[in-house]
Amino acid sequence: MNYNKYIDNTLLKADATSEQIKALCEESKKYDFKSVCVNPSFISYSKECLKGSDVLVCTVIGFPLGSMTTEAKVFETKDAILKGADEIDMVINISKLKDKDYDYVKNEIKAIKEACKDHTLKVILECCLLTKEEIVKASLLAKEANADFVKTSTGFSKGGATIEDVKLMRETVGEEMGVKAAGGVRTHKEMLEMIEAGATRIGTSSGAKLM
């Protein structure tokens, strides 16, 4: 199995330097990972570093809190795609989900999916802040809004991916949607467990170690 193509090799730290991003891209080319996942200001630079490879550029929207307005997220998405992003990982508005304002959550995902056009959209739920019922509801809303993936975590809150959450998300969305396990996946064994639980993509800052 080509485990390398499960991996979004990630560097989203606030103090990441161009040198570190370049090293991330070089490592990703070496292992032929699915993508590098970087903050929006590094999209163009990553695209240049990855020239000649089939490694995609993934970026994050509304990151890491998800609390900005829909209009801001849509603008950020359009700008990211204009700069060369191939995939978009957006954070839902967790407050609105907690308030049971499901129309808001779904309409926001739908608006961002429209802004993505034919680019892949992954919806970050931040499972560590949600009840099991909320994980199910958020996954269903993402599916109804035609997102391509649901994703466990930003890696910036109080917890990351768990096998239990990945299984629950997979059971909820069925086989036609992707499930991305992100946050705390640092070993080959953990990666295999996440894949067995139903993950079709792994977000990790330890890509080389996983291989």
Side-chain angles (χ1 to χ4, degrees), residues 162-203:
T162 68
I163 289 166
E164 187 184 9
D165 289 344
V166 169
K167 279 182 178 173
L168 182 60
M169 291 159 77
R170 172 54 68 208
E171 285 165 11
T172 303
V173 301
E175 292 304 315
E176 61 270 28
M177 256 184 104
V179 174
K180 179 173 172 178
V185 184
R186 297 192 181 95
T187 68
H188 187 74
K189 180 175 179 285
E190 287 170 345
M191 175 177 70
L192 294 182
E193 288 170 347
M194 291 297 175
I195 292 169
E196 194 178 329
T200 48
R201 196 77 68 88
I202 305 292

Side-chain angles (χ1 to χ4, degrees), residues 100-127:
K100 296 184 168 54
D101 192 347
Y102 301 137
D103 284 343
Y104 184 102
V105 177
K106 184 165 94 171
N107 289 335
E108 180 171 89
I109 299 168
K110 196 181 282 186
I112 292 168
K113 178 58 185 172
E114 284 170 12
C116 283
K117 296 178 180 171
D118 57 349
H119 295 70
T120 296
L121 175 63
K122 309 187 203 98
V123 178
I124 306 172
L125 309 186
E126 202 68 287
C127 293

Side-chain angles (χ1 to χ4, degrees), residues 5 28-29 32-35 50-57:
K5 286 302 185 186
S28 301
K29 284 196 288 187
D32 192 26
F33 289 138
K34 183 68 177 181
S35 82
L50 292 167
K51 197 177 279 184
S53 77
D54 69 346
V55 181
L56 303 176
V57 175

